[in-house]
Amino acid sequence: MRGLIVVNGYARDPAYRYQAEQMRDAFARLGVETLTVEGNSYPVEVGSDPLVRLPQGDFCLFWDKDTYLLEALDRTGIPLFNPAKSIRICDDKAMTHLALSAEGIPMPKTIPAPLCYLPNAEIPPAEADKVGEALGYPLVVKKSYGSLGVGVWLAEDKETLLGLMNTLKLTPHLYQSYIAASRGRDLRVIVVGETILGGMMRQNENDFRSNIGAGGVGVPCPVPPKAEEYALRAVKTLGLAYAGLDFLLDEGGEPLLCEVNSNAYFKAFASATGIPVADIYAAHIVKSLGGV
């Protein structure tokens, strides 16, 4: 068995590369050869045969978010982890909430921003009024695409919100209710297949964002039964083989699903919990393909 591990060629940060390296080593321990491929090697040529110019592989671990490369690989029929549709939905935070909206999973109230494609357009103040009335202040503004807490702001008032609306008008984004009880704190849950691996409480004393990349720290934490239930339901609905799910906690300590990450970093989680995420995920992939 041979696998391809696709990474973004422009991302040189060791924190990003760690995941692919750990997965490569985990597959090697199972006797599975892998080849790491950088997306900026231009392996896709539409109009040529073959469509994707990559070495042969029995599966592909897609550790990138390049949807063009993802689509091309999907068309070759190679088994993808995660599946292409799942990655596309999770990559768009607004689409994730829409996909889960009918599943009975508590989530912060979320409003996708309307499409604007005119650089000279001015966002009417009435739009800020509508969002403010629906969510109250402060409220969270997020780019629909992004990781590590980048592209997330807290709008304390209408003036700040309207400014962000105009700044982000050409960028897909959303507005979300602010859960004050969970300021600087959330629960990261890692799932592989139908198994909850564990939980990590991320905490940041200096920012409303809890992300490790924004200065947060992680400590092991039991996963409440409701969070387990919601996590497994979300993963099943989205068709994920691997996911990192982030839960906020309301005033009563009840979990609210905030985000689902199909390519979740696991270095901090593994360090905090001692759980060998890479080995478990690699074994799941091999087993799902009929291996030992």
Side-chain angles (χ1 to χ4, degrees):
M1 183 180 292
R2 186 190 199 196
L4 305 178
I5 300 177
V6 174
V7 299
N8 188 288
Y10 301 110
R12 312 305 306 183
D13 181 7
Y16 170 74
R17 293 282 173 156
Y18 174 89
Q19 277 65 226
E21 293 165 358
Q22 290 294 303
M23 292 300 297
R24 176 200 63 202
D25 294 344
F27 281 120
R29 286 189 284 273
L30 294 172
V32 176
E33 176 191 0
T34 57
L35 175 66
T36 300
V37 178
E38 296 189 342
N40 62 341
S41 61
Y42 291 90
V44 177
E45 294 180 12
V46 178
S48 68
D49 187 18
L51 173 66
V52 180
R53 299 175 181 275
L54 288 177
Q56 290 293 317
D58 298 297
F59 69 90
C60 175
L61 178 62
F62 197 79
W63 218 267
D64 194 5
K65 294 186 177 182
D66 185 328
T67 55
Y68 303 135
L69 175 54
L70 180 65
E71 175 69 18
L73 283 168
D74 195 29
R75 288 177 178 271
T76 69
I78 187 172
L80 290 167
F81 296 88
N82 276 301
K85 180 180 179 181
S86 305
I87 293 175
R88 283 194 291 266
I89 293 175
C90 290
D91 193 33
D92 184 333
K93 294 179 174 63
M95 193 62 73
T96 304
H97 281 267
L98 288 167
L100 296 175
S101 61
E103 296 305 315
I105 301 172
M107 297 181 286
K109 189 172 183 179
T110 301
I111 301 175
L115 172 67
C116 175
Y117 54 85
L118 301 173
N120 295 325
E122 285 290 331
I123 305 300
E127 289 195 22
D129 289 333
K130 289 180 180 179
V131 174
E133 289 169 4
L135 302 179
Y137 290 104
L139 60 87
V140 176
V141 181
K142 290 183 183 180
K143 289 184 178 181
S144 294
Y145 302 91
S147 304
L148 307 176
V150 177
V152 182
W153 298 268
L154 193 63
E156 299 279 0
D157 50 39
K158 176 183 174 180
E159 181 181 4
T160 304
L161 174 60
L162 188 58
L164 286 167
M165 284 178 154
N166 277 289
T167 298
L168 298 172
K169 64 189 177 186
L170 302 180
T171 302
H173 63 285
L174 58 85
Y175 313 109
Q176 203 164 63
S177 57
Y178 173 61
I179 310 302
S182 205
R183 179 181 177 87
R185 181 174 67 114
D186 73 1
L187 174 65
R188 163 60 62 87
V189 177
I190 297 289
V191 179
V192 172
E194 298 179 357
T195 302
I196 302 284
L197 298 196
M200 175 180 69
M201 189 67 73
R202 302 187 300 183
Q203 304 173 92
N204 191 336
E205 300 295 332
N206 302 310
D207 200 305
F208 78 97
R209 300 168 299 168
S210 60
N211 305 75
I212 303 297
V217 296
V219 295
C221 179
V223 182
K226 286 186 179 179
E228 286 196 3
E229 175 192 343
Y230 302 148
L232 291 175
R233 192 184 304 171
V235 164
K236 182 178 181 180
T237 300
L238 299 174
L240 294 159
Y242 164 80
L245 302 97
D246 300 334
F247 289 90
L248 304 177
L249 303 171
D250 68 14
E251 292 181 358
E254 295 296 313
L256 302 171
L257 181 58
C258 184
E259 292 186 10
V260 182
N261 306 279
S262 63
N263 289 3
Y265 286 18
F266 56 75
K267 182 177 183 178
F269 179 91
S271 297
T273 64
I275 296 171
V277 178
D279 287 293
I280 296 171
Y281 188 19
H284 173 78
I285 291 173
V286 172
K287 184 178 180 180
S288 70
L289 295 171
V292 178

